[in-house]
């Protein structure tokens, strides 16, 4: 039995009453929820717990959808590149797509809405030079240029919701109907969404919290011919695009969007692309529509005396919890999946709701809960990584999802989560509403700024990618670090300058991406504003390809601040004599193992003898610092997440800010340990972030030191 109670949501299912009662008691849960594929029966709903019911606005209503197939959600897709070897070329534009998910839109005139592009020249093929064979889904181009490549940008109807499709395949749901998504921008669908919810609220009196999963448009998720993911962008607006949306956009904005504005060379405006003005306009257009329509449903929910909760996933596109319209929706709560510290802060920092909830891992699905596997391994890793972030700003509730009957078969797992739920409630009681001590304020600078708070470097929500982990580690480290974090856009700097309370700016990412900035750095106002700020005492930390765009004899446009640049092959004739690393540096004082720069960056060189080379190997610089007027710049070639790199990042930021003398305040010198202090309440906590006993020197708020030993995973409260 748990020592404390509340703030925990338990998944349950029909015909599992006694076991559910036992788990409510053991985990101290005070709410019950269903999951995709499960239902709560009346006996479960009668238990002494708040009842969450999953509600799908734009899917799961096939009887309606089948009667209005012309109001299915639409997408603009691009075909493969096709090579012309003569003056005629036939293209199977659906080749490579899953035809159970999408079908071509022939309701609207392809000649008006589709676009065929010569990708060799970038030119648009005139509509008079191509025809569509609707029976065979073929586009035939005449007057093609031999050995040029061509693509077709075409509209489809989406006839299977991608999340239900994934769950259907993963859980082998057999002949269960495919759920058809419909578009509430269409007249019948918009009216149905409201009318159905009104009746549903009457028919479900035991539901306390309507868990909208989510509202209208799914993140971009398209499957290939083998029913596997082809394209996934957790931030993608691809499923919001329809003929009606483009017509209404043109009417409001006074200009028409081309298909190319959406398919974007096949990149589909992924979150890694520096956003164009047209795409920013389109996003804003969708966000305003979604906020207005979602508010109508939330208002109905409140009128019925229920709470409205949004799941931060699935059909979340357009809600943008850090965007300008989110608070106008009037939601009571947001729940999201916690992959680690950064994703926890993504949820817990959301403004304008009464409470937030994190769905922890693992999901109670058979891909984890099977004989011979130990789900505790994933649970421990998930909890320890998220716990760091909880100490900075906790969610108000935690919970799990999936089939409780599966988890129940693993007693060791049940025992562990009992400890987790008790520890969470202890953390919450001590931390919530208490501003933690922050040694620095850090600005993360990229194209997106605030609207993508805690979201840079993600492709599919919280998944590991070879090309991103060396940057995502920065966010994961910061999520539990004793610093305040603000997300800034290049427009913020251009329009308002660097905020007065920022100590360090971090710019990190691959060259050309939205996170490094690409051609944003050709703006002299941006570069000179930051130069002046650093020169007058600010700190700048670049990771990977910071400020990178080839211009003016530089690749890193702020190379002068960081003291390093990247060799592109153009200056091989210029000798580079500065190769000697310093014997010691503040940033690496407590280093105890080899450096891990992840994928790293190569061919970085020091600009002058003034550059402080901190790490040099393989004939290249991987870490350096540089004095710049009264300020400092620091360069690191990559920072995957680890306790070692968290410490390295903290030291680099304090050094860049010129605040080394304040580093040993609320500090533990053991890399596996961290300190969080809460001046308002007079409490502090020393964490052991490892599963082993640790001894550390602990420094309090006055810099006094004592030695402390912590048990595995222990939090020592004082």
């Amino acid at each position: 039995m748990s020592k404390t109670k509340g703030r925990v949501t338990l998944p349950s299912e029909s015909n599992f009453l006694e076991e559910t009662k036992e788990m409510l008691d053991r985990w101290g849960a005070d709410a019950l929820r269903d999951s995709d594929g499960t239902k709560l029966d009346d006996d479960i709903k009668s238990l002494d717990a708040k009842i969450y019911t999953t509600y799908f606005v734009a899917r799961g209503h096939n009887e309606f959808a089948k009667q209005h197939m012309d109001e299915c959600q639409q997408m603009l897709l691009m075909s493969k590149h096709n090579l012309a070897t003569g003056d005629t070329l036939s293209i199977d534009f659906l080749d490579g797509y899953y035809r159970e998910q999408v079908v071509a839109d022939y309701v609207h005139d392809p000649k008006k809405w589709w676009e065929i592009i010569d990708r060799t020249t970038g030119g648009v093929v005139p509509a008079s030079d191509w025809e569509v064979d609707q029976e065979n889904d073929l586009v035939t181009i005449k007057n093609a240029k031999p050995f040029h490549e061509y693509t077709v940008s075409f509209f489809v109807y989406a006839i299977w919701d991608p999340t239900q499709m994934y769950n259907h395949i993963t859980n082998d749901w057999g002949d269960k109907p495919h759920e058809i998504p419909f578009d509430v921008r269409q007249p019948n669908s918009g009216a149905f969404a409201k009318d159905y919810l009104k009746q549903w609220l009457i028919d479900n009196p035991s539901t306390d919290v309507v868990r909208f999963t989510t509202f209208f448009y799914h993140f971009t998720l398209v499957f290939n011919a083998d029913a596997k993911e082809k394209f996934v962008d957790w931030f993608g607006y691809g499923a919001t695009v329809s003929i009606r949306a483009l017509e209404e956009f043109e009417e409001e904005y006074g200009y028409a969007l081309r298909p190319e504005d959406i398919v974007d060379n096949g990149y589909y405006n992924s979150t890694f692309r520096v956003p164009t003005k047209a795409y920013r306009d389109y996003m804003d257009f969708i966000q305003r529509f979604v906020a207005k329509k979602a508010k109508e449903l939330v208002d109905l929910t409140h009128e019925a005396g229920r709470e409205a909760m949004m799941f931060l996933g699935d059909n979340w596109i357009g809600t943008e919890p850090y965007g300008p319209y989110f608070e106008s929706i009037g939601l009571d709560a947001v729940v999201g999946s916690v992959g680690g510290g950064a994703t926890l802060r993504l949820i817990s920092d959301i403004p304008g709701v009464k409470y937030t909830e994190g769905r922890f891992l693992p999901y109670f699905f058979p891909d984890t809960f099977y004989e011979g596997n130990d789900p505790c391994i994933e649970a421990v890793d998930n909890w320890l990584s998220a716990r760091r972030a909880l100490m900075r700003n906790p969610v108000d509730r935690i919970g799990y999802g999936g089939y409780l009957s599966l988890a129940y078969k693993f007693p060791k797992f049940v025992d562990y989560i009992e400890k987790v739920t008790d520890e969470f409630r202890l953390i919450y009681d001590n931390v919530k509403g208490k501003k933690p001590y922050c040694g620095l304020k850090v600005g993360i600078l990229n194209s997106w700024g605030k609207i993508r708070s805690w979201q840079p470097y993600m492709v599919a929500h919280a998944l590991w990618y070879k090309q991103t982990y060396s940057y995502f580690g920065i966010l994961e480290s910061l999520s539990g670090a004793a610093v305040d974090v603000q997300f800034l856009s290049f427009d913020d700097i251009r329009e308002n300058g660097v905020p007065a309370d920022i100590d360090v700016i971090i710019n990190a990412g691959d060259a050309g991406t939205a996170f490094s900035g690409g051609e944003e750095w050709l703006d002299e106002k941006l570069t000179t504003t930051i130069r002046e700020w650093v020169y007058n005492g600010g700190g700048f930390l670049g990771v990977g390809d910071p400020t990178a765009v080839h211009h003016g004899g530089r690749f890193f446009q702020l190379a002068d601040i960081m003291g390093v640049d990247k060799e592109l092959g153009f200056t091989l004739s210029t000798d580079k004599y500065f190769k000697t690393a310093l014997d010691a540096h503040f940033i690496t004082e407590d280093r105890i193992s080899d450096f891990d720069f992840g994928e790293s960056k190569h061919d970085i060189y020091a600009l002058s003898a003034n550059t402080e080379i901190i790490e040099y190997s393989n004939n290249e610089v991987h870490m350096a610092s540089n004095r710049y007027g009264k300020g400092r710049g620091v360069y690191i070639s990559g920072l995957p997440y680890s306790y070692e790199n968290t410490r390295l990042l903290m030291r680099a930021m304090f050094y860049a800010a010129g605040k080394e003398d304040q580093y040993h305040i609320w500090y533990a010198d053991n890399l596996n340990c961290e300190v969080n202090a809460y001046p308002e309440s007079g409490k502090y906590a020393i964490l052991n972030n490892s599963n082993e006993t640790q001894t550390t020197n602990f420094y309090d708020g006055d810099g006094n030191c004592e030695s402390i030993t912590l048990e595995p995973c222990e939090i020592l409260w004082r």
Side-chain angles (χ1 to χ4, degrees):
M1 178 179 175
S2 67
K3 298 175 184 176
T4 54
K5 183 176 175 62
R7 304 200 175 278
V8 174
T9 304
L10 185 71
S12 190
E13 56 199 275
S14 297
N15 303 311
F16 206 63
L17 178 62
E18 293 305 317
E19 297 91 339
T20 299
K21 289 163 68 174
E22 178 189 343
M23 296 296 283
L24 280 170
D25 187 48
R26 292 198 59 184
W27 290 1
D30 59 348
L32 292 168
R33 59 161 291 205
D34 57 2
S35 299
D36 195 3
T38 68
K39 297 294 180 186
L40 304 184
D41 57 30
D42 290 340
D43 286 342
I44 297 289
K45 291 178 181 178
S46 68
L47 294 173
D48 182 21
K50 212 174 199 179
I51 301 299
Y52 294 11
T53 304
T54 301
Y55 188 87
F56 300 108
V57 175
R59 58 175 269 216
H61 305 287
N62 277 9
E63 185 175 339
F64 167 81
K66 287 179 179 178
Q67 295 172 359
H68 300 86
M69 293 300 287
D70 61 328
E71 294 194 3
C72 282
Q73 291 185 12
Q74 293 189 275
M75 303 178 77
L76 254 172
L77 301 178
M78 194 186 86
S79 71
K80 295 177 179 178
H81 286 61
N82 291 264
L83 178 68
T85 56
D87 59 7
T88 300
L89 174 64
S90 288
I91 298 175
D92 177 0
F93 52 85
L94 280 172
D95 181 27
Y97 290 99
Y98 191 51
R99 296 175 196 240
E100 288 189 50
Q101 185 193 11
V102 297
V103 294
D105 169 19
Y106 298 127
V107 175
H108 303 92
D109 183 7
K111 292 275 189 174
K112 179 178 180 181
W113 296 105
W114 297 15
E115 198 168 54
I116 285 73
I117 295 180
D118 180 338
R119 291 294 174 185
T120 304
T121 66
V124 177
V125 177
S128 58
D129 278 354
W130 54 271
E131 299 294 336
V132 181
D133 177 352
Q134 297 186 11
E135 185 175 338
N136 296 299
D137 294 326
L138 293 175
V139 163
T140 299
I141 303 171
K142 60 183 179 181
N143 299 321
K145 296 180 180 179
F147 299 99
H148 283 219
E149 287 191 314
Y150 293 85
T151 63
V152 181
S153 301
F154 58 99
F155 268 100
V156 296
Y157 284 109
I159 58 173
W160 194 357
D161 176 85
T163 289
Q164 201 245 359
M165 177 183 168
Y166 169 80
N167 290 339
H168 200 294
I169 294 169
T170 300
N171 296 301
D172 193 20
W173 284 346
D175 58 359
K176 185 173 181 177
H178 298 178
E179 294 184 357
I180 304 168
F182 51 87
D183 187 357
V184 298
R185 189 180 287 276
Q186 306 294 340
N188 294 306
S189 297
F192 174 81
K194 292 177 66 175
D195 292 342
Y196 190 92
L197 177 60
K198 290 177 185 176
Q199 187 60 46
W200 185 92
L201 290 164
I202 294 170
D203 295 340
N204 291 268
S206 58
T207 295
D208 300 298
V209 180
V210 181
R211 184 183 183 274
F212 289 99
T213 310
T214 305
F215 288 107
F216 314 124
Y217 302 113
H218 204 284
F219 61 85
T220 310
L221 177 54
V222 184
F223 289 82
N224 66 17
D226 298 320
K228 296 180 179 179
E229 288 182 0
K230 178 182 178 71
F231 180 89
V232 54
D233 178 8
W234 200 67
F235 308 92
Y237 277 59
T240 71
V241 183
S242 65
I243 303 294
R244 181 178 288 268
L246 295 189
E247 289 174 333
E248 293 179 0
F249 178 92
E250 182 177 4
E251 182 178 348
E252 181 175 339
Y253 283 78
Y255 73 95
L257 293 174
R258 288 178 52 197
E260 185 64 8
D261 290 322
I262 304 300
V263 301
D264 179 32
N265 293 283
Y267 301 127
Y268 296 100
N269 295 290
S270 92
T271 190
F272 287 80
R273 295 279 279 166
V274 176
T276 63
K277 179 186 183 301
Y279 189 62
R280 286 183 184 273
D281 285 348
Y282 182 73
M283 285 179 61
D284 193 73
F285 168 73
I286 294 296
Q287 288 164 35
R288 285 185 287 107
F289 171 80
V290 168
K292 179 183 176 182
K293 287 292 184 183
K295 185 180 189 306
E296 293 175 359
L297 302 186
V298 170
D299 286 348
L300 289 173
T301 304
H302 289 161
E303 289 167 12
R306 322 297 176 80
E307 291 184 356
M309 170 183 278
M310 178 189 103
F311 175 56
L312 189 64
D314 292 9
N315 292 56
W316 79 287
I317 295 303
T319 60
E320 299 292 358
Y322 294 94
Y325 313 110
F326 176 76
E327 292 189 39
S328 70
I329 298 173
L331 285 158
D332 297 287
V334 174
V335 58
S337 179
V338 176
T343 49
L344 187 129
R345 289 293 295 274
L346 163 57
I347 301 163
S348 67
D349 284 13
I350 291 173
V353 291
K354 295 175 183 174
Y355 62 96
T356 57
E357 181 169 325
R359 191 191 69 196
F360 279 66
L361 299 177
Y363 213 90
F364 303 166
F365 268 3
D367 55 351
T368 299
F369 289 83
Y370 58 88
E371 187 176 351
N373 192 45
D374 182 4
C376 286
I377 295 173
E378 183 178 356
V380 171
D381 181 65
N382 186 238
W383 175 245
L384 287 181
S385 61
R387 192 179 71 170
R388 294 182 62 245
L390 288 170
M391 301 298 293
R392 306 304 298 173
N393 185 23
V395 289
D396 298 288
R397 303 181 56 83
I398 65 172
Y400 294 86
Y403 299 99
L404 184 61
S405 58
L406 273 178
Y408 188 78
K409 296 175 182 177
F410 291 76
K412 180 183 171 185
F413 176 80
V414 172
D415 291 344
Y416 178 70
I417 302 303
E418 184 175 329
K419 296 176 183 176
V420 164
T421 54
D422 274 333
E423 186 167 64
F424 167 71
R425 286 183 284 260
L426 179 61
I427 292 171
Y428 185 88
D429 290 343
N430 278 302
V431 174
K432 189 63 177 182
K434 317 289 195 305
K435 181 172 176 56
Y437 165 77
C438 294
L440 298 171
K441 185 163 186 180
V442 182
I444 307 295
L445 178 62
N446 56 50
S447 295
W448 296 108
K450 179 182 177 182
I451 201 169
R452 290 281 179 264
S453 296
W454 297 108
Q455 298 163 65
Y457 318 114
M458 292 185 188
V459 181
H461 183 60
L463 295 185
W464 183 93
Y465 280 81
K466 179 177 184 287
Q467 293 80 7
T468 64
Y469 76 93
S470 304
Y471 303 120
F472 189 75
I474 298 168
L475 298 184
E476 194 65 26
S477 293
L478 290 176
S479 70
V483 297
D484 195 5
V485 182
Q486 182 176 352
F487 291 83
L488 301 169
S489 72
F490 299 117
D491 285 342
D492 292 333
I493 302 297
R494 275 189 283 257
E495 294 167 11
N496 305 307
V498 179
D501 57 349
I502 293 290
D503 294 298
V504 179
I505 288 175
I506 297 178
N507 178 241
D510 281 346
T513 65
F515 304 116
S516 174
E519 293 187 358
E520 299 269 18
W521 291 106
L522 298 180
D523 182 352
E524 61 90 17
K525 184 173 184 181
L526 175 65
T527 55
T528 56
T529 297
I530 294 178
R531 281 191 179 117
E532 182 180 11
W533 176 77
V534 177
Y535 194 86
N536 288 326
F540 186 88
L541 171 58
V543 182
D545 289 326
T547 77
V549 59
H550 187 218
H551 171 73
R554 295 273 201 232
F555 187 55
F556 296 166
Q557 290 305 303
L558 297 185
D560 54 327
I561 293 178
M562 296 177 285
V564 298
D565 203 356
K566 185 172 184 175
E567 175 61 70
L568 301 180
F570 304 138
T571 59
L572 291 175
S573 300
T574 302
D575 290 323
K576 301 172 181 67
Y577 296 106
F578 316 112
K579 301 179 180 181
T580 303
L582 300 175
D583 293 331
H585 196 283
F586 173 82
I587 294 176
T588 56
E589 272 182 16
D590 54 6
R591 195 78 190 170
I592 59 175
S593 61
D594 292 339
F595 290 104
D596 178 10
F597 300 114
E599 295 306 301
S600 191
K601 290 295 173 182
H602 303 294
D603 305 318
I604 308 298
Y605 65 92
L607 290 179
S608 74
N610 294 324
T611 302
E612 300 171 341
I613 300 175
I614 302 172
E615 200 282 342
Y616 186 92
S617 58
N618 197 30
N619 296 309
E620 58 197 12
V621 175
H622 299 108
M623 183 159 43
S625 62
N626 185 55
R627 295 179 185 274
Y628 193 79
K630 297 177 181 178
R632 290 170 177 169
V634 174
Y635 174 80
I636 304 176
S637 60
L639 270 171
Y641 178 64
S642 66
Y643 296 151
E644 282 267 18
N645 279 350
T646 297
R647 183 61 54 86
L648 186 73
L649 175 62
M650 289 293 286
R651 283 186 166 273
M653 291 188 301
F654 270 84
Y655 184 78
K659 292 188 174 182
E660 303 99 304
D661 60 335
Q662 299 177 38
Y663 184 67
H664 289 89
I665 295 175
W666 299 121
Y667 170 78
D669 67 355
N670 185 322
L671 299 174
N672 297 287
C673 301
E674 286 179 303
V675 181
N676 290 278
Y678 309 95
E680 294 173 19
S681 63
K683 290 187 178 182
Y684 62 90
I686 310 167
L687 277 73
N688 178 357
N689 291 322
S690 79
N691 216 359
E692 300 175 353
T693 300
Q694 301 288 344
T695 298
T696 184
N697 287 320
F698 157 68
Y699 296 79
D700 67 15
D702 296 319
N704 300 312
C705 179
E706 66 174 296
S707 179
I708 291 176
T709 298
L710 299 170
E711 296 300 313
C713 306
E714 182 183 0
I715 301 178
L716 177 62
W717 292 95
R718 288 181 168 182

